């Protein structure tokens, strides 16, 4: 059983974003090449890379994604409907404050502005099967070793003070196909990761939430892109958004962390 510390007093469910006066990153472009270069630079084996997922239903398009998938990275606009649903779901939940070697997932609270892309990348690489493919003596390996014994609030300080993460992020933000916005910009899109834990649960990992969200049990052969996982995770998310009236207007994209293609 994971250890639990006292809940931090500063979490605000109605406004989980960090103040504009805090540290801010230049937003990352949702680009598989950019995200792959970044995660490799931080220490993940180049045997895994990010890939575009072009469909949630078409078998011929899903077949382009190499398997098994280790994580999904969903990118979507933060709408009024999404925020209403987030607050309704989070309201009865305790603020997550667990830590220790028995913690099922390693979750980071986002405390840097415009860093949701980095948070999604860290959640994807530091959990599930991807964690086993992180090289020793790398920024990711050092972050994991330092983060496990810490509750989420001091755990976030590790990211805030990491020169390696900040420099790698800055380099990646300059590599996209479009001009990067300023660090002070208000970015409407948000990144959320879905991973399968060693215990077989599908977890939604989002640094703006009260904590990690267990979306349900997967079968042994399921990965995060399996139909069961999609129903519990990404498709469930899209269905909630559709109920809020967004329907076809919902703009989202999906990346899969999966074996690198030769």
């Amino acid at each position: 059983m994971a250890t639990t510390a006292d809940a931090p007093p500063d979490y605000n469910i109605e406004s989980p974003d960090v103040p504009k006066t805090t540290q801010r990153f230049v937003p990352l472009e949702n680009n598989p090449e950019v995200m792959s270069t970044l995660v490799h630079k931080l220490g993940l084996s180049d045997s895994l890379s990010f890939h575009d997922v072009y469909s949630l239903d078409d078998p011929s398009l899903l077949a382009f994604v190499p398997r098994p998938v280790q994580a999904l990275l969903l990118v979507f606009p933060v709408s009024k409907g999404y925020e209403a649903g987030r607050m309704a779901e989070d309201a009865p939940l305790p603020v997550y404050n667990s830590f220790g070697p028995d913690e099922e997932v390693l979750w980071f609270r986002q405390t840097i502005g415009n860093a949701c892309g980095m948070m999604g990348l860290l959640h994807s690489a530091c959990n599930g099967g991807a964690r086993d493919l992180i090289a020793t003596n790398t920024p990711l390996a050092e972050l994991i070793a330092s983060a496990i014994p810490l509750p989420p609030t001091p755990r976030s300080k590790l990211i805030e003070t990491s020169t390696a993460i900040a420099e790698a992020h800055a380099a990646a933000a300059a590599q996209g196909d479009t001009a990067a916005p300023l660090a002070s910009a208000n970015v409407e899109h948000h990144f959320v990761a879905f991973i399968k834990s060693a215990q077989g649960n599908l977890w939604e990992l989002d640094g703006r939430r009260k904590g990690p969200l267990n979306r349900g049990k997967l079968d042994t052969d399921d990965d995060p892109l399996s139909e069961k996982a999609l129903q519990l995770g990404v498709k469930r998310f899209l269905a909630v958004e559709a109920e809020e009236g967004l329907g076809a207007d919902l703009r989202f994209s999906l990346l899969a962390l999966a074996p690198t293609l030769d």
Side-chain angles (χ1 to χ4, degrees), residues 169-190:
H169 186 284
Q175 291 177 357
D177 293 331
T178 58
L182 297 175
S184 59
N186 290 321
V187 179
E188 67 169 359
H189 282 76
H190 187 57

Side-chain angles (χ1 to χ4, degrees), residues 12-198:
N12 183 343
I13 188 173
E14 294 184 1
S15 184
D17 294 321
V18 298
K20 292 187 180 300
T21 54
T22 62
Q23 180 182 3
R24 300 181 73 82
F25 280 174
V26 173
L28 287 175
E29 183 177 293
N30 178 36
N31 178 310
E33 290 77 20
V34 169
M35 299 299 279
S36 295
T37 298
L38 175 55
V39 79
H40 295 155
K41 187 171 185 177
L42 290 174
L44 184 65
S45 167
D46 60 9
S47 64
L48 291 179
S49 296
F50 284 97
H51 306 265
D52 281 313
V53 179
Y54 294 109
S55 173
L56 300 180
D57 300 296
D58 187 332
S60 64
L61 293 176
L62 285 168
F64 283 106
V65 182
R67 310 299 275 269
V69 168
Q70 299 298 337
L72 294 179
L73 200 51
L74 177 67
V75 188
F76 61 94
V78 178
S79 64
K80 290 182 179 179
Y82 169 77
E83 287 293 85
R86 175 189 62 78
M87 287 190 286
E89 184 175 31
D90 277 2
L93 301 177
V95 175
Y96 183 83
N97 217 32
S98 296
F99 61 96
D102 296 328
E103 194 179 12
E104 187 170 343
V105 292
L106 187 61
W107 177 77
F108 298 95
R109 180 171 292 115
Q110 183 177 338
T111 57
I112 301 173
N114 288 337
C116 60
M118 173 60 80
M119 303 306 295
L121 180 147
L122 292 177
H123 283 141
S124 298
C126 295
N127 288 288
R131 185 192 288 192
D132 297 330
L133 296 174
I134 293 173
T136 58
N137 300 316
T138 62
L140 285 178
E142 293 170 1
L143 175 65
I144 291 170
S146 298
I148 287 174
L150 297 177
T153 296
R155 183 179 286 176
S156 296
K157 297 294 183 183
L158 298 174
I159 301 174
E160 293 175 20
T161 58
S162 172
T163 301
I165 289 177
E167 291 179 348
H169 186 284
Q175 291 177 357
D177 293 331
T178 58
L182 297 175
S184 59
N186 290 321
V187 179
E188 67 169 359
H189 282 76
H190 187 57
F191 290 70
V192 172
F194 292 88
I195 67 97
K196 181 181 182 181
S197 70

Side-chain angles (χ1 to χ4, degrees), residues 196-218:
K196 181 181 182 181
S197 70
Q199 290 80 2
N201 294 309
L202 180 73
W203 287 86
E204 179 179 332
L205 303 176
D206 179 355
R208 293 180 77 244
R209 304 296 294 260
K210 275 188 169 180
L213 297 164
N214 187 342
R215 292 306 188 191
K217 193 76 172 180
L218 297 178

